[in-house]
Structures are given as structure tokens and as C-alpha cells.
């Protein structure tokens, strides 16, 4: 009797769990100035794709004269946007980001590299000329930055994983239960001139 009751409870509970795991948030209609959406709705279920185009003199902020964006658990895969047709499309800056400026020479961007990276050839700006960016700055790993810290037996790194660490970054190791840092080494290592200093060993 007890087994039958538990089976009944499981049958009722299990579909509810599946529903909770599969439920995804809908997306509100994006605000699109200077353009129109197809289909036009107040809200869109998850995984719904919308197509949009822009009015005369404008274009989507992605490649092509029309674009598609998809609802992904409450967020759009890219926010639909219309920009001046003479503007350049927003660039992708690997290992960096940019801020947009406007001046009498045209639309320009200033590049800032992520920690551990620096601009190549000291080029930090780009200008939009005839819908094309002049030479885009490149962010490359700094000579003083370090790659990921070395792996040591019986230890883990207690920091968020990243491929590059800026100079003077400090990273802490944690020895697994039953092990402690060996000798005069400490659990803290420091990035200096592209090398990790003070890497510990863990002993019982």
C-alpha cells in the first residue's frame, strides 16, 4: 500500500518538475525606433523569431537590409535597432570594448582593452568612413601579463577561470582536505613580468 501511494505521489510531482525545468520566460516587444517588426505583438514566447526592417535613411545594426532576432528566455539574441544608413555597423573588438564618439570628422570609437591586454601599435581609435571602419585597433596580450596559473597536484585555484591575468594579479590556491602548502611557499601566487611567482606545492 505504501509503495502504491509513493508511486502516485511521484506521478503527480514529476510532471510538475518537468514543467518547472522547461518553463522559459517570454520576451516583451522590443522598442524599435525608425523601423517595424513582423509579427507585431506585445509579448513573444520563448524561441520566437521576429524579423525587422528600417525606414528610409536607416538600416539594421547588423548585416543586411532586414534582420532577425530570437527570444531566448526573456532576452533577445540581439536588441533590434535601426541606425543611420551612413553609419558603420557596430564592430566586434576581441578582448576589448569601445565607446562611441561624435565629432566634426565623423563617427569615431575609442578602444579600451580588457585587463592583461593592450592595443597593438598604440592605435586606440577608429573612424567610420563611407560605412567602413578605418583600421580597427587590435587588443593583444601584454608582455607583462600571465597565462593561466600552473596546475599542481592536490590543489585547485580559488578564482574565476580566465585565460589571461594582468601584471600584479594575485591568485590563491587551495589544497584539498588533508594537504597543506609545502615549505615556505604560500597559497598566494603573483603575476610578475609574465611569470607566476611563489607557486606552492601541497603535501599531506
Amino acid at each position: 500500500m505504501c509503495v502504491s501511494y509513493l508511486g502516485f505521489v511521484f506521478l503527480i510531482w514529476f510532471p510538475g518538475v518537468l514543467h518547472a525545468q522547461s518553463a522559459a520566460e517570454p520576451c516583451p516587444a522590443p522598442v524599435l525606433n525608425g523601423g517595424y517588426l513582423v509579427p507585431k505583438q506585445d509579448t513573444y514566447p520563448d524561441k520566437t523569431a521576429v524579423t525587422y526592417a528600417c525606414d528610409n535613411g536607416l538600416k539594421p545594426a547588423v548585416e543586411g537590409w532586414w534582420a532577425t532576432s530570437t527570444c531566448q528566455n526573456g532576452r533577445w539574441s540581439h536588441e533590434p535597432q535601426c541606425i543611420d544608413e551612413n553609419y558603420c555597423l557596430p564592430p566586434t573588438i576581441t578582448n576589448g570594448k569601445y565607446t562611441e564618439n561624435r565629432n566634426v570628422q565623423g563617427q569615431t570609437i575609442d578602444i579600451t582593452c580588457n585587463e592583461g591586454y593592450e592595443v597593438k601599435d598604440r592605435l586606440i581609435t577608429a573612424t567610420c568612413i563611407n560605412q567602413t571602419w578605418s583600421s580597427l585597433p587590435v587588443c593583444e596580450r601584454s608582455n607583462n601579463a600571465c597565462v593561466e596559473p600552473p596546475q599542481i597536484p592536490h590543489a585547485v585555484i580559488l578564482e574565476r577561470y580566465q585565460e589571461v591575468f594582468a601584471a600584479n594579479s594575485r591568485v590563491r590556491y587551495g589544497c584539498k582536505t588533508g594537504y597543506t602548502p609545502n615549505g615556505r611557499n604560500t597559497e598566494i601566487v603573483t603575476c610578475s613580468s609574465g611569470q607566476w611567482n611563489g607557486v606552492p606545492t601541497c603535501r599531506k
Side-chain angles (χ1 to χ4, degrees):
M1 178 67 179
C2 181
V3 173
S4 299
Y5 176 75
L6 288 174
F8 176 74
V9 171
F10 183 77
L11 286 173
I12 293 180
W13 170 78
F14 188 66
V17 172
L18 286 178
H19 176 74
Q21 290 178 341
S22 62
E25 295 184 25
C27 293
V31 177
L32 181 63
N33 296 320
Y36 55 91
L37 300 164
V38 178
K40 187 176 182 181
Q41 301 171 192
D42 291 333
T43 59
Y44 297 83
D46 185 55
K47 308 299 183 188
T48 300
V50 296
T51 300
Y52 71 95
C54 301
D55 298 337
N56 290 338
L58 301 174
K59 65 181 179 182
V62 293
E63 198 68 48
W65 65 266
W66 82 94
T68 300
S69 184
T70 304
C71 176
Q72 297 178 344
N73 194 23
R75 294 178 178 271
W76 292 103
S77 55
H78 77 270
E79 195 67 29
Q81 181 186 5
C82 292
I83 61 175
D84 189 293
E85 64 181 1
N86 294 314
Y87 283 5
C88 294
L89 297 178
T92 298
I93 307 298
T94 304
N95 301 316
K97 56 188 177 181
Y98 68 90
T99 56
E100 184 176 329
N101 299 298
R102 303 282 172 79
N103 59 31
V104 294
Q105 281 76 35
Q107 182 189 14
T108 65
I109 54 174
D110 293 333
I111 304 300
T112 303
C113 295
N114 298 338
E115 286 190 8
Y117 293 86
E118 59 187 12
V119 289
K120 184 178 181 179
D121 300 328
R122 300 183 181 274
L123 181 67
I124 63 171
T125 64
T127 303
C128 178
I129 303 172
N130 296 327
Q131 303 181 41
T132 302
W133 291 109
S134 61
S135 299
L136 279 171
V138 175
C139 292
E140 58 184 7
R141 184 166 70 89
S142 171
N143 291 331
N144 292 325
C146 294
V147 297
E148 60 180 297
Q151 181 180 2
I152 64 173
H154 314 300
V156 294
I157 295 172
L158 306 178
E159 315 287 344
R160 184 183 65 182
Y161 176 82
Q162 57 192 72
E163 292 182 351
V164 174
F165 290 79
N168 301 318
S169 293
R170 291 162 61 87
V171 172
R172 187 160 58 99
Y173 283 84
C175 296
K176 78 176 186 180
T177 303
Y179 289 79
T180 56
N182 188 25
R184 292 182 296 176
N185 292 331
T186 67
E187 293 176 282
I188 304 292
V189 296
T190 304
C191 173
S192 177
S193 299
Q195 301 292 328
W196 290 103
N197 294 327
V199 177
T201 54
C202 292
R203 65 176 183 180
K204 277 193 174 182

